[in-house]
Amino acid sequence: MKILGEKIRHYRKLRGISQSELADGICTQATVSLIEKKDKIPSMEILVRICERLGITMNLVIVNDDSQIYSIISDIKKSFYQDDFDDISDKLGKLKNINVNNKQEIKLIHFFNGLIEYVSSKNYDKAIFDFNRAMNVNIANVDMYDILIDVFTAKAYINKKSVDEARVYYNQAKDLIKSSLGKIGDENYHDSILIYANMADLSLKLDDNDKAIEYANEGIIIARKEQTLFKLDEMYCYLAEAGTREGQKTDEDYIKAYVISSISENKQVFEKLKSKVKDMHLNIF
């Protein structure tokens, strides 16, 4: 069980009473302060009396572990969409002292732990260990994160210069995509785009240019359908790079990637393309 201290504070302010007035005859003012600021869980008797004084039911200020876990993992996914890995790490820390029983949630926690090791710590051995723990969670139904687990495992092996091992997981991801085409289209578009963008990137790293073009185009189609700029600059960038390797004219794709990255303020892509556009003498406007 977790108490939402900010909710206690909200209802106390709403009633126009001080911490001391709320605590009077129930507990100390310091206890109320700890509840509000540190989410300290008081005895059930104290909590019941505080809620009675505030005129609220306890379900407004407490959440059980399952609800808390679901909420934290949902927030982690949002941070993943924004490439905010510091926030992911912080939220994973909040899950360490909570007993997680749901297999899907256990799988996701292992994956995100591996992702932090891969992106932030660059500890590729530990990342692979965590990704494999995620793979070993026995769940009957495949979801989008099973594909991403294979993708990032392959990327970790590439960083370890173990290309043969990377290709094993790359091929697994390709097979999962092939068998899940309808499902990918029905998923949260962020997850679908993440799969295609990362598969395009991985394909380039393994010199599979045709697949890089295919996956980038699939992601672009979804982004257009959803009218979102999410990862769109990166996908045009992958499309342009793969096309260049195949001897195709890619000026338009580079320009699109450059313009979209400037609009979406994706500094990493924008800086990468700034010199490229200049060297290629592309006319942006």
Side-chain angles (χ1 to χ4, degrees), residues 224 233 236 251-261 273:
R224 286 175 172 171
D233 49 358
Y236 272 117
D251 293 9
E252 185 177 339
D253 292 328
Y254 275 121
I255 290 171
K256 287 178 180 177
Y258 178 84
V259 172
I260 294 168
S261 67
L273 289 171

Side-chain angles (χ1 to χ4, degrees), residues 72-80 88 91-92 95 112:
I72 291 173
I73 289 178
S74 295
D75 287 343
I76 287 174
K77 287 182 179 181
K78 292 174 186 176
S79 298
F80 184 29
I88 292 174
K91 286 183 169 58
L92 285 171
L95 290 170
F112 285 117

Side-chain angles (χ1 to χ4, degrees), residues 228-245:
T228 179
L229 296 180
F230 180 62
K231 300 291 180 184
L232 190 58
D233 49 358
E234 295 177 32
M235 291 185 290
Y236 272 117
C237 197
Y238 300 142
L239 187 63
E241 187 173 340
T244 299
R245 293 183 187 181

Side-chain angles (χ1 to χ4, degrees), residues 24-81:
D24 186 31
I26 299 175
C27 59
T28 65
Q29 184 269 332
T31 297
V32 172
S33 179
L34 285 171
I35 292 170
E36 292 186 355
K37 294 180 180 178
K38 302 291 185 180
D39 294 334
K40 178 179 173 59
I41 301 174
S43 70
M44 189 57 64
E45 180 185 355
I46 289 174
L47 182 57
V48 168
R49 293 181 67 189
I50 284 175
C51 289
E52 286 176 348
R53 182 159 292 174
L54 292 173
I56 60 175
T57 57
M58 283 199 299
N59 66 337
L60 290 175
V61 296
I62 60 173
V63 292
N64 60 35
D65 284 348
D66 289 343
S67 298
Q68 186 183 359
I69 293 164
Y70 178 84
S71 177
I72 291 173
I73 289 178
S74 295
D75 287 343
I76 287 174
K77 287 182 179 181
K78 292 174 186 176
S79 298
F80 184 29
Y81 301 150

Side-chain angles (χ1 to χ4, degrees), residues 97-269:
N97 297 319
I98 301 176
N99 186 29
V100 183
N101 296 309
N102 181 282
K103 288 185 176 181
Q104 176 66 17
E105 291 170 344
I106 291 171
K107 180 179 73 174
L108 289 174
I109 290 168
H110 287 322
F111 168 69
F112 285 117
N113 276 322
L115 192 66
I116 292 302
E117 296 294 341
Y118 174 83
V119 175
S120 302
S121 303
K122 303 195 185 312
N123 185 339
Y124 303 118
D125 287 322
K126 181 62 169 61
I128 290 168
F129 174 77
D130 285 325
F131 293 148
N132 275 283
R133 290 182 74 186
M135 289 178 206
N136 289 332
V137 176
N138 187 20
I139 300 177
N141 296 323
V142 173
D143 69 9
M144 300 301 97
Y145 277 85
D146 290 298
I147 301 172
L148 288 171
I149 290 165
D150 280 333
V151 170
F152 279 97
T153 303
K155 287 186 175 186
Y157 273 117
I158 288 172
N159 281 286
K160 282 171 52 67
K161 312 297 182 188
S162 302
V163 177
D164 288 341
E165 287 86 349
R167 288 191 183 281
V168 171
Y169 292 97
Y170 174 54
N171 289 330
Q172 283 184 192
K174 286 195 294 184
D175 289 341
L176 283 175
I177 289 173
K178 189 174 180 180
S179 64
S180 307
L181 282 178
K183 189 174 182 181
I184 292 175
D186 293 335
E187 284 294 312
N188 178 316
Y189 74 82
H190 289 95
D191 293 342
S192 302
I193 290 172
L194 274 173
I195 287 169
Y196 285 124
N198 279 286
M199 280 298 285
D201 179 37
L202 178 56
S203 298
L204 283 172
K205 288 177 172 24
L206 292 172
D207 297 319
D208 192 348
N209 300 323
D210 289 340
K211 277 295 182 183
I213 291 170
E214 176 186 329
Y215 292 133
N217 275 321
E218 288 293 339
I220 289 168
I221 288 169
I222 295 172
R224 286 175 172 171
K225 177 184 174 183
E226 299 294 337
Q227 298 182 332
T228 179
L229 296 180
F230 180 62
K231 300 291 180 184
L232 190 58
D233 49 358
E234 295 177 32
M235 291 185 290
Y236 272 117
C237 197
Y238 300 142
L239 187 63
E241 187 173 340
T244 299
R245 293 183 187 181
E246 292 298 302
Q248 300 172 10
K249 186 172 177 59
T250 57
D251 293 9
E252 185 177 339
D253 292 328
Y254 275 121
I255 290 171
K256 287 178 180 177
Y258 178 84
V259 172
I260 294 168
S261 67
S262 67
I263 293 171
S264 60
E265 298 183 346
N266 188 337
K267 293 181 180 179
Q268 187 175 359
V269 175

